[in-house]
Amino acid sequence: NAGVTQTPKFQVLKTGQSMTLQCAQDMNHEYMSWYRQDPGMGLRLIHYSVGAGITDQGEVPNGYNVSRSTTEDFPLRLLSAAPSQTSVYFCASSYSWGDNTEAFFGQGTRLTVV
Amino acid sequence: DQQVKQNSPSLSVQEGRISILNCDYTNSMFDYFLWYKKYPAEGPTFLISISSIKDKNEDGRFTVFLNKSAKHLSLHIVPSQPGDSAVYFCAAINRQLTFGSGTQLTVLP
């Protein structure tokens, strides 16, 4: 049982480049989300999805796109990378949303934009 | 404006003693509060949670206390062990999971 799998683990981009961070879960969870972790800021919610075909914005959505075509996958797209998007990105999934259900996190993607 | 605040970036404790990590929040609509633990190069993992209608929840060495009137919660670890050294995030739920900035706990042998 792999849980939540994120790829790649590390990435360096040049300003203006685009890329997709992959996230897959094998727990049949309906709820998936993307966070970024910055020093002194904790984890901030970028986008989330409560099921296939349904996505919504979190606290810091600008510069990112998401889609949810299957229950298992929730990719995060950077449209035109900027140095301010240098961060560690975590994908999470949970059985339900908005209650006490534990969220499971991937190992993270460390992104550097130069 | 951070709705969940952890004002201590770091805490050092001797092995065997109690570790107390603190968290304050501003949103009275939060339904649940959770603590996550994070080791370097890994994702956060769930540790313990408490409902807003409770004031204490205990799980082995870990106890979370909630003081709703003060909008304050704390995580107690007794006894602390070197393997507890990690970053601890306080989080709260009101439709979404909102995290604090984290506290680095170091347990000294």
Side-chain angles (χ1 to χ4, degrees):
Chain A
N1 201 355
V4 179
T5 303
Q6 288 184 238
T7 55
K9 287 189 169 51
F10 302 94
Q11 183 71 49
V12 178
L13 285 180
K14 293 183 178 178
T15 298
Q17 285 185 315
S18 63
M19 79 160 294
T20 299
L21 279 64
Q22 302 292 343
C23 176
Q25 53 93 7
D26 61 0
M27 297 173 282
N28 203 31
H29 287 166
E30 289 295 324
Y31 182 56
M32 297 185 74
S33 52
W34 276 100
Y35 291 85
R36 58 178 289 174
Q37 182 192 6
D38 302 294
M41 303 289 288
L43 284 84
R44 292 181 293 168
L45 182 65
I46 304 171
H47 284 286
Y48 65 97
S49 169
V50 300
I54 307 170
T55 63
D56 206 348
Q57 297 180 352
E59 181 186 354
V60 287
N62 293 340
Y64 308 95
N65 270 0
V66 292
S67 60
R68 184 93 180 271
S69 56
T70 66
T71 299
E72 294 77 21
D73 300 298
F74 190 43
L76 178 72
R77 279 182 289 278
L78 280 71
L79 308 173
S80 177
S84 61
Q85 293 178 304
T86 293
S87 186
V88 181
Y89 292 83
F90 290 99
C91 177
S93 75
S94 59
Y95 178 73
S96 61
W97 171 66
D99 60 15
N100 199 30
T101 306
E102 173 186 354
F104 295 83
F105 285 82
Q107 288 196 317
T109 296
R110 184 174 293 274
L111 175 68
T112 302
V113 182
V114 297
Chain B
D1 183 32
Q2 280 191 301
Q3 297 187 61
V4 179
K5 298 180 183 179
Q6 293 177 258
N7 293 317
S8 298
S10 62
L11 173 68
S12 291
V13 171
Q14 209 67 37
E15 180 179 4
R17 306 293 292 268
I18 183 171
S19 295
I20 300 176
L21 295 96
N22 294 304
C23 178
D24 298 296
Y25 62 95
T26 57
N27 187 347
S28 58
M29 300 299 291
F30 286 135
D31 300 309
Y32 297 95
F33 302 89
L34 306 91
W35 286 92
Y36 280 80
K37 176 178 176 180
K38 185 183 178 306
Y39 293 115
E42 294 184 9
T45 55
F46 172 77
L47 190 57
I48 191 170
S49 65
I50 187 168
S51 165
S52 60
I53 63 172
K54 307 269 184 159
D55 55 18
K56 177 182 174 181
N57 187 27
E58 194 171 351
D59 183 2
R61 296 187 296 114
F62 303 91
T63 303
V64 57
F65 296 92
L66 176 62
N67 182 335
K68 284 188 68 176
S69 61
K71 292 191 174 67
H72 177 84
L73 67 156
S74 60
L75 174 68
H76 293 211
I77 306 173
V78 182
S80 301
Q81 299 173 354
D84 295 330
S85 296
V87 176
Y88 289 79
F89 288 101
C90 169
I93 291 180
N94 175 25
R95 294 169 58 84
Q96 295 177 3
L97 191 57
T98 301
F99 285 86
S101 55
T103 297
Q104 170 70 56
L105 172 66
T106 302
V107 180
L108 305 167

